[in-house]
Amino acid sequence: MEKLTNIIEAILFAAGDAVPIDLLREKLDITKREVDESIRKLEKKYTGDCGIRLLHFNHKLQLATNPEYKELVAAAIMPIREKEFTKTILECAAIIAYKQPITRRELENIRGTSSDYAITTLLSLEMIEPCGRKDTPGNPIQFATTDNFLKRFKLKSLTELPDYDELMKKIAEITSIEEATSNYLYEKDVYDPDADPELQETPENEELQKAEEEGFAIPDYLKDAEDVFKIE
């Protein structure tokens, strides 16, 4: 029973989102009594001052943070989200632009990760919009870019988009250079003036130097990306 509880706990952690209890029973081939007992054990484990809570709603289970700590969690998470924000949004916007109409699941299959946050943000920015439902089981919503997408990227039409592979390569390069710059600034911020004099010289960043030597420049259609996608 303890092993089963641990397995269910691992599944909920890996899933991130809510998991139907019936799906757990089906995939693990267990009885209602067994899953109910595991739920009781997990609810008991995640109580009191524990940072995690087990949510049990609408015949589904989900692990979530303790609401008591939400402000501290948000303060710690926000800088991490901001660092990944531009890359995630650029990738999703580019994929949707080239593959539209596209469903959330199709987008996630291409990226290999959840895209809920990116889609929600792009919808709030009115850069994409629902454009119908796909004729497949479940009839999932399909998304397409809007006129606002063209306006923000200074495009007259989607025919002006660059080659897809080239665009994705540029996004990867931009992200790599942004991370290199971030690491460089971090090294300066934590620099200890009392350290060994030989360490007082700022180390050259090979990635930034290479980019400069190669004359790397952000293409026009991505120059305003940070302003376009900034977090309010």
Side-chain angles (χ1 to χ4, degrees), residues 10-175:
I11 291 173
L12 297 178
F13 176 81
D17 296 325
V19 178
I21 295 176
D22 288 343
L23 180 63
L24 289 174
R25 291 182 55 191
E26 176 188 344
K27 297 300 182 181
L28 298 177
D29 192 22
I30 55 178
T31 65
K32 183 179 184 302
R33 184 189 64 80
E34 288 174 321
V35 74
D36 286 346
E37 186 173 343
S38 290
I39 291 172
R40 285 193 293 271
K41 288 180 178 293
L42 290 175
E43 286 177 334
K44 183 178 180 179
K45 178 178 181 178
Y46 295 118
T47 56
D49 295 331
C50 183
I52 303 296
R53 285 284 185 269
L54 177 68
L55 303 183
H56 187 180
F57 59 95
N58 197 26
H59 305 293
K60 297 177 182 179
L61 299 174
Q62 182 175 3
L63 291 179
T65 55
N66 187 334
E68 184 177 342
Y69 309 130
K70 64 180 181 180
E71 293 183 1
L72 292 173
V73 171
I77 292 275
M78 188 55 70
I80 299 174
R81 278 195 166 185
E82 288 178 346
K83 182 176 180 181
E84 294 297 324
F85 187 72
T86 300
K87 174 187 176 183
T88 299
I89 299 300
L90 282 176
E91 283 184 350
C92 289
I95 293 171
I96 293 173
Y98 282 96
K99 307 294 185 179
Q100 60 184 308
I102 185 172
T103 66
R104 183 192 305 265
R105 178 61 60 84
E106 290 169 339
L107 174 62
E108 292 175 342
N109 287 341
I110 293 174
R111 296 189 64 238
T113 186
S114 173
S115 300
D116 288 349
Y117 180 64
I119 288 179
T120 300
T121 303
L122 288 170
L123 285 170
S124 67
L125 293 171
E126 298 182 353
M127 297 185 67
I128 64 172
E129 63 183 1
C131 63
R133 291 182 176 274
K134 189 167 185 177
D135 187 18
T136 57
N139 297 119
I141 296 174
Q142 294 177 306
F143 297 96
T145 55
T146 63
D147 289 342
N148 199 37
F149 172 90
L150 298 175
K151 182 173 67 175
R152 285 176 178 266
F153 280 98
K154 299 180 174 62
L155 299 171
K156 293 181 180 179
S157 70
L158 292 174
T159 59
E160 293 186 357
L161 282 169
D163 177 75
Y164 175 78
D165 292 333
E166 181 64 22
L167 176 58
M168 299 307 291
K169 179 181 177 182
K170 288 296 183 183
I171 290 175
E173 290 175 351
I174 292 170
T175 303

Side-chain angles (χ1 to χ4, degrees), residues 184-204:
Y184 166 73
L185 293 175
Y186 175 76
E187 288 174 358
K188 291 184 66 177
D189 290 340
V190 300
Y191 169 66
D192 181 3
D194 298 324
D196 188 327
E198 294 183 1
L199 300 178
Q200 294 185 11
E201 293 184 7
T202 303
E204 293 183 351

